[in-house]
Amino acid sequence: MRTKLTCERVLLATVMAVTAVLSIGVLAQSPDVFTNEIRPIMERTCWNCHNQQVQSSGLDLSTREGALKGGLRGPAIVPGQAEESRLYRQLAGLEGPAMPLGFPLTDAEIESVRVWINDGAHWDSGPTSVVSGDEFSAFVTDVPASARDYWAFKLPVQNPLPDVAAFEHPIDRFLEQTRLNSGLTAAPRADRRTLLRRAYLDLIGLPPTIQETQEFITDTSPGAWERLIDRLLASPHYGERWGRHWLDVARYADSDGYEQDVDRANAWRYRDYVVDAFNSDKPYNQFIIEQVAGDELDDTTHETRIATGFLRAGPRVNFREKDNPERRYDYLDDVLATLGRGILGMTIHCARCHDHKFDPILQKDYYSMATSIFGYVETLYPMLPDDQAAAYLTLTAQLDGRKTDLQEQIREIEEPYRQILKLERIEREFPTEVLQAVHKPEDERTAGEKLLAAQVLSIGVPKNQLDAALSELDITRRQILLGRIADIEQARPEQPPMIEIVTDGDYRYTPDRAGDNVLGCPECRIKPDKPGSFLHQGPGRYEVPPSNFLIRGDPFSLGPEMSPGFLTVATYGNPPTEIPRANGRTSGRRLALAQWLTSTENPLTARVWVNRVWHHHFGRGIVATLDNFGRVGDAPTHPQLLDWLAVEFMNQGWSTKQMHRLIMTSEAYMMASAYTNENNLVNDLENHLLWRYRPQRLEAEAVRDVIMATSGGIDLTVGGPPIFPYIPEEILNTAQAYGRWDNQLDGPDVWRRSLYVYRRRTLSFPFFETFDLPDQNITTAARNTSTVAPQALTLLNNPFVLGQAELFAREVEERAGYDIARQVDLAYRTGLTRPPTEAEAAIGRQLVKDGSLVAMTHVIFNLSEFLYRR
């Protein structure tokens, strides 16, 4: 009886459940809820990324069937069960990632979605559409007032120095206060030879000679250390060393990258500009202004034009962005990422598709900054006086225009033949369905047929077939035109030295005369992809191309037109976003951006650079994540010290050399690295609070430089075109077919500093790659330091290293004669800046006797002490 009753209850519950589900279906039959409440949300936030054409994560939300099917993570909707529906859970933030990215729904909208799903999730029969740009602008968010409470967005303040009796130097006072609070004891000062080698490797990337060592060791008068620092800062090799650090930030290379990896014949001029800027101690704020807007200054020179190479230093396919908006926005993203990570310490590029997920960086900030640089073009400029440069550019532009007209006439002659041959080839080589797609009128093709036809119709026709198909009359006509082109080339002036620069393009130029608003200058016929494309000789003013907010970062989903602007959370006051230029050739927007970047009211720029300088001196920044001062970056270990240094840096005229002097005269910089304290190891195992000097392995270029300097073979000529040290043919043969490498045999011609080795993006110099050369396509924060077997094998077996060891041995033998004891002593003093210990001397003499002097010099190159700054 009890069993029968239980079965009846189960049956009744089942019937009630089915009835409830059916009633839900009935309630959801009306499409009004979807049309009035859900469709606007879908149009605004969902269908841009989840439709039949674009299925982000494999999810199509344009139909009920697509939502039920779901994407890579399963069904998006379970009708009648909102709490079990992934769409609702992500909209409500119940599981990640929260959707929509960057633009959360209001509580009322989330509740509408919940009720709609619980009522059956019915769709209406209307078409899928996305929100227009004008409508989209209404949903752009703003930065909350509390965002500036984060340390990096507050203006730095120079607080009073800590009252620490043991130290007088400002840096040491801050560090010692933190050490005392953490129970740490500072290491003693290193010996003078260690400090000498440390300073040389740090500031110029080369070891001291025996004579330089002797001069410093014997100078016991007050101020000897300070005089040494000043002497090194005055060396032309200082700019080579510290310029290399900046070139990592600038993602510098001598080639374009990508498949073609086209050579940049004049890129080295920007590299030399950077070296000269550091050598002259160009104020850092001026250094940044010239690189962002060197063509917009009141006093524009070749030097400031070359500086703009910073903006174009990243990888490029080509620069016909006017024909490829997607590529242009990728290049703009590269520039913004470099400005953000390199100068501001912020990952601005993460806000291209939505508001930043961790930091108060708005998507509208991203596109406001993009608008500040949007009109720029990459072009060439002759290194001539301005009047001669203008005359050269005008003439070459006129010749290019005439040549283009003639080439167009040749294309008109060839095109009918080309189309006939192309169709014959398609009929001969492709199946029937392809032919049907090609012959079908374009407006009748399906999406698949359109894609197929576009691909097939892009095939080329061999030149010999085209030549054979031409009629005698058309051959004659073409030959006459080719002769005219040859005459034009004959009349073309010899190209002067050129510089690769950035400026605003005049393909949006609005002349004063009506009807002259055409591509390029109507008088000069200058095109944006030709040398000097920006230089207009006629009347008129530069019109900035419109720059749009991109919905979800999609170049083909234009939102509202944007105005120039900056990072909202890091902007104090109302700085100008455009500084009109008297000559009218550029917009002045990049100049306004540069002035905002280097303003004393910008909380980031000075902090970021001071932190980078600190990192290169100590092996770790006060903020360890050099390019990310945001919430997912590391917090500063000494925030008050960082602020004090940033303010001091600005007060001292943004002088990098003065910052070196300040840091290197501290006891912190002069501490020993070989120091162990058990209590310190317990309280700060990784030495984050700097209780001893941190040993640092030399970078790839410095390893090669120090080897050549020690052997005596190095060529210390400063500046000039790049060199191409020898790369084995088997490596070159495995590289891409395109790209330049003028292989030079190992010898004095290529024994220049490694700064001058050609930087090819698709083929890193193997020696550098072994020692952790960073990715040359993006801005680099801190270089990775690995310890792997190929490094030891390279130092043991690389022909260059072996050759330098032989050269080192010959140099020692010439100076020490056949006295083995003197040879060993001289090798140690030259290679390690110190004499050998008794044990080392005995082992060295035995090695020379049993092996050779070359064996000993080779061993020195392999010592850890040789490869590290200690």
Side-chain angles (χ1 to χ4, degrees):
M1 183 68 181
R2 183 176 298 173
T3 302
K4 180 180 178 181
L5 182 59
T6 301
C7 292
E8 288 176 349
R9 288 176 175 172
V10 171
L11 179 60
L12 177 61
T14 303
V15 171
M16 291 176 66
V18 172
T19 303
V21 171
L22 291 175
S23 68
I24 289 174
V26 172
L27 290 173
Q29 293 305 305
S30 173
D32 292 345
V33 172
F34 183 88
T35 302
N36 298 328
E37 299 182 26
I38 306 304
R39 171 177 281 277
I41 297 173
M42 292 283 194
E43 289 178 343
R44 192 181 80 242
T45 64
C46 301
W47 288 342
N48 289 295
C49 299
H50 302 287
N51 56 63
Q52 290 182 348
Q53 286 73 39
V54 180
Q55 297 185 14
S56 180
S57 300
L59 178 60
D60 173 16
L61 291 177
S62 63
T63 65
R64 189 173 194 270
E65 292 73 18
L68 294 175
K69 178 182 176 182
L72 300 178
R73 301 177 66 187
I77 289 176
V78 181
Q81 302 180 56
E83 296 291 337
E84 300 299 322
S85 299
R86 194 177 301 278
L87 175 65
Y88 169 73
R89 294 183 63 79
Q90 290 188 254
L91 292 177
L94 300 177
E95 67 177 77
M99 290 288 173
L101 292 174
F103 302 96
L105 302 186
T106 65
D107 292 342
E109 289 173 326
I110 294 173
E111 177 63 16
S112 294
V113 173
R114 187 189 70 81
V115 172
W116 168 68
I117 294 176
N118 280 338
D119 286 349
H122 176 73
W123 256 252
D124 64 19
S125 58
T128 301
S129 62
V130 298
V131 69
S132 69
D134 291 339
E135 294 169 318
F136 193 79
S137 63
F139 300 99
V140 175
T141 55
D142 208 345
V143 171
S146 60
R148 284 202 178 107
D149 293 339
Y150 183 67
W151 69 268
F153 302 128
K154 296 178 181 178
L155 291 175
V157 176
Q158 199 170 54
N159 289 318
L161 298 177
D163 184 13
V164 178
F167 294 97
E168 296 183 2
H169 196 286
I171 289 175
D172 294 316
R173 289 193 180 190
F174 282 106
L175 293 176
E176 183 63 11
Q177 182 183 55
T178 305
R179 293 191 202 107
L180 291 174
N181 293 338
S182 302
L184 302 172
T185 302
R189 183 180 288 195
D191 66 84
R192 298 192 78 202
R193 290 181 183 273
T194 297
L195 291 177
L196 175 69
R197 186 175 179 87
R198 180 184 297 174
Y200 265 80
L201 295 178
D202 197 358
L203 289 182
I204 67 172
L206 300 169
T209 64
I210 290 180
Q211 180 180 351
E212 290 167 335
T213 301
Q214 188 62 26
E215 289 174 356
F216 178 71
I217 295 301
T218 57
D219 183 1
T220 57
S221 61
W225 176 247
E226 289 78 5
R227 288 192 296 275
L228 171 68
I229 293 171
D230 287 342
R231 187 165 65 250
L232 292 175
L233 290 174
S235 167
H237 306 305
Y238 159 76
E240 293 175 318
R241 170 68 170 162
W242 280 79
R244 179 63 263 169
H245 296 324
W246 180 257
L247 292 175
D248 280 358
V249 175
R251 76 262 189 252
Y252 170 82
D254 293 293
S255 67
D256 281 350
Y258 292 100
E259 181 182 1
Q260 303 295 321
D261 206 12
V262 176
D263 174 46
R264 295 180 176 175
N266 296 286
W268 59 270
R269 299 187 193 279
Y270 170 72
R271 175 247 291 154
D272 283 0
Y273 160 82
V274 171
V275 172
D276 292 342
F278 276 94
N279 277 334
S280 65
D281 196 23
K282 187 185 292 289
Y284 182 71
N285 56 346
Q286 184 65 23
F287 182 56
I288 296 302
I289 289 172
E290 290 179 359
Q291 292 179 93
V292 175
D295 62 309
E296 296 201 301
L297 302 179
D298 293 335
D299 184 18
T300 300
T301 65
H302 287 323
E303 179 187 23
T304 64
R305 293 187 185 104
I306 291 171
T308 63
F310 168 79
L311 297 176
R312 62 179 293 172
R316 299 287 187 268
V317 174
N318 58 58
F319 198 73
R320 298 181 184 272
E321 288 87 350
K322 58 187 175 62
D323 300 322
N324 187 341
E326 185 174 9
R327 187 72 67 191
R328 174 144 180 95
Y329 279 103
D330 285 345
Y331 294 167
L332 288 168
D333 189 69
D334 161 69
V335 174
L336 289 177
T338 304
L339 292 174
R341 295 177 56 207
I343 297 175
L344 295 171
M346 285 287 146
T347 52
I348 294 173
H349 57 293
C350 293
R352 176 177 177 176
C353 302
H354 49 75
D355 284 357
H356 200 290
K357 299 301 294 181
F358 305 105
D359 298 325
I361 302 174
L362 307 178
Q363 191 181 12
K364 71 176 182 181
D365 286 350
Y366 176 95
Y367 287 104
S368 293
M369 290 188 68
T371 301
S372 296
I373 62 174
F374 190 79
Y376 90 102
V377 295
E378 300 175 3
T379 188
L380 299 174
Y381 190 88
M383 292 189 69
L384 297 170
D386 285 349
D387 57 340
Q388 296 179 31
Y392 171 82
L393 293 172
T394 299
L395 176 57
T396 55
Q398 291 171 347
L399 295 175
D400 288 338
R402 290 165 52 194
K403 180 179 178 180
T404 299
D405 288 343
L406 294 171
Q407 289 173 329
E408 185 59 35
Q409 293 178 48
I410 291 175
R411 276 192 289 271
E412 290 175 359
I413 293 172
E414 295 177 341
E415 192 59 27
Y417 298 94
R418 185 177 286 108
Q419 291 301 323
I420 292 172
L421 292 171
K422 185 182 294 185
L423 289 174
E424 290 177 353
R425 181 181 174 187
I426 292 172
E427 292 174 354
R428 185 172 61 251
E429 299 180 7
F430 291 88
T432 305
E433 57 268 23
V434 175
L435 297 179
Q436 291 174 347
V438 169
H439 288 296
K440 184 180 292 187
E442 185 173 357
D443 58 352
E444 297 179 12
R445 293 172 183 159
T446 66
E449 288 174 333
K450 288 180 180 179
L451 178 61
L452 185 62
Q455 291 175 333
V456 172
L457 289 173
S458 66
I459 65 173
V461 174
K463 185 178 183 301
N464 61 339
Q465 293 183 20
L466 181 63
D467 293 342
L470 290 174
S471 68
E472 289 295 330
L473 176 60
D474 285 335
I475 290 175
T476 302
R477 291 171 59 204
R478 187 179 68 171
Q479 196 60 40
I480 292 172
L481 295 173
L482 289 172
R484 292 176 183 172
I485 290 176
D487 292 341
I488 289 173
E489 293 303 323
Q490 188 69 27
R492 190 181 296 276
E494 181 179 356
Q495 186 181 75
M498 305 295 284
I499 54 180
E500 299 177 359
I501 72 167
V502 158
T503 190
D504 286 349
D506 75 354
Y507 54 90
R508 295 288 306 180
Y509 202 92
T510 304
D512 290 342
R513 297 197 309 257
D516 275 348
N517 189 13
V518 295
L519 177 65
C521 168
E523 298 173 3
C524 307
R525 303 297 300 276
I526 297 175
K527 305 296 183 181
D529 54 347
K530 297 295 183 181
S533 61
F534 63 94
L535 188 58
H536 178 74
Q537 299 302 304
R541 61 180 179 78
Y542 174 70
E543 178 184 315
V544 184
S547 174
N548 294 83
F549 188 105
L550 301 187
I551 300 171
R552 304 297 178 220
D554 181 2
F556 302 100
S557 298
L558 298 183
E561 186 173 333
M562 298 296 291
S563 298
F566 315 126
L567 203 60
T568 301
V569 73
T571 301
Y572 287 79
N574 295 293
T577 59
E578 190 170 306
I579 302 175
R581 301 288 79 208
N583 58 23
R585 289 178 180 162
T586 61
S587 67
R589 290 181 174 183
R590 280 181 291 110
L591 181 57
L593 171 64
Q595 291 191 359
W596 171 76
L597 287 170
T598 57
S599 168
T600 55
E601 295 295 299
N602 187 312
L604 295 167
T605 304
R607 276 189 179 117
V608 169
W609 180 241
V610 164
N611 189 62
R612 284 186 183 274
V613 173
W614 185 276
H615 162 83
H616 290 303
H617 280 305
F618 290 108
R620 189 179 192 273
I622 296 174
V623 178
T625 48
L626 306 186
D627 61 343
N628 191 349
F629 278 31
R631 294 186 181 278
V632 297
D634 286 358
T637 54
H638 303 80
Q640 289 189 340
L641 171 59
L642 180 60
D643 277 14
W644 192 93
L645 290 172
V647 174
E648 186 70 11
F649 177 56
M650 291 186 284
N651 289 343
Q652 294 295 325
W654 300 74
S655 168
T656 299
K657 286 189 177 182
Q658 190 59 33
M659 184 54 53
H660 291 311
R661 293 185 182 97
L662 180 63
I663 290 174
M664 295 179 69
T665 53
S666 68
E667 288 297 324
Y669 185 83
M670 292 185 278
M671 286 190 298
S673 61
Y675 173 72
T676 301
N677 181 297
E678 292 298 329
N679 192 55
N680 289 359
L681 293 175
V682 171
N683 293 330
D684 183 23
L685 178 62
E686 296 186 3
N687 192 29
H688 288 170
L689 302 183
L690 207 59
W691 48 270
R692 66 181 174 189
Y693 188 79
R694 186 177 290 106
Q696 301 158 61
R697 201 200 67 202
L698 300 176
E699 303 90 346
E701 299 93 333
V703 172
R704 179 175 177 270
D705 290 350
V706 171
I707 287 175
M708 292 188 297
T710 302
S711 74
I714 194 169
D715 176 358
L716 292 175
T717 303
V718 176
I723 57 172
F724 298 81
Y726 182 76
I727 294 179
E729 290 297 328
E730 58 268 25
I731 296 179
L732 286 178
N733 291 339
T734 61
Q736 290 182 230
Y738 302 102
R740 178 186 178 190
W741 194 272
D742 305 341
N743 226 6
Q744 298 175 264
L745 293 177
D746 188 42
D749 289 344
V750 293
W751 291 347
R752 297 189 63 203
R753 293 203 69 170
S754 299
L755 175 73
Y756 303 113
V757 173
Y758 187 86
R759 291 300 180 105
R760 176 174 157 185
R761 295 188 195 272
T762 59
L763 177 64
S764 299
F765 185 51
F767 186 94
F768 294 165
E769 192 167 33
T770 301
F771 286 94
D772 304 309
L773 182 74
D775 185 345
Q776 301 171 107
N777 294 302
I778 58 175
T779 184
T780 298
R783 288 197 180 193
N784 181 48
T785 301
S786 67
T787 304
V788 294
Q791 294 165 354
L793 294 173
T794 295
L795 293 174
L796 285 171
N797 303 313
N798 185 279
F800 162 76
V801 177
L802 294 173
Q804 293 295 311
E806 293 177 2
L807 189 63
F808 184 16
R810 287 200 300 270
E811 179 74 13
V812 169
E813 193 171 67
E814 287 178 6
R815 297 172 62 185
Y818 297 103
D819 185 332
I820 294 179
R822 286 188 60 200
Q823 288 176 351
V824 171
D825 182 75
L826 186 61
Y828 266 84
R829 291 177 184 272
T830 303
L832 302 177
T833 321
R834 65 172 178 83
T837 65
E838 291 185 8
E840 289 170 334
I843 294 173
R845 291 192 298 270
Q846 193 65 41
L847 179 59
V848 174
K849 289 178 182 178
D850 296 344
S852 66
L853 181 55
V854 174
M856 196 196 73
T857 56
H858 190 199
V859 166
I860 288 178
F861 287 164
N862 281 265
L863 293 175
S864 173
E865 184 178 349
F866 182 83
L867 300 171
Y868 277 76
R869 188 169 85 240
R870 297 176 179 273

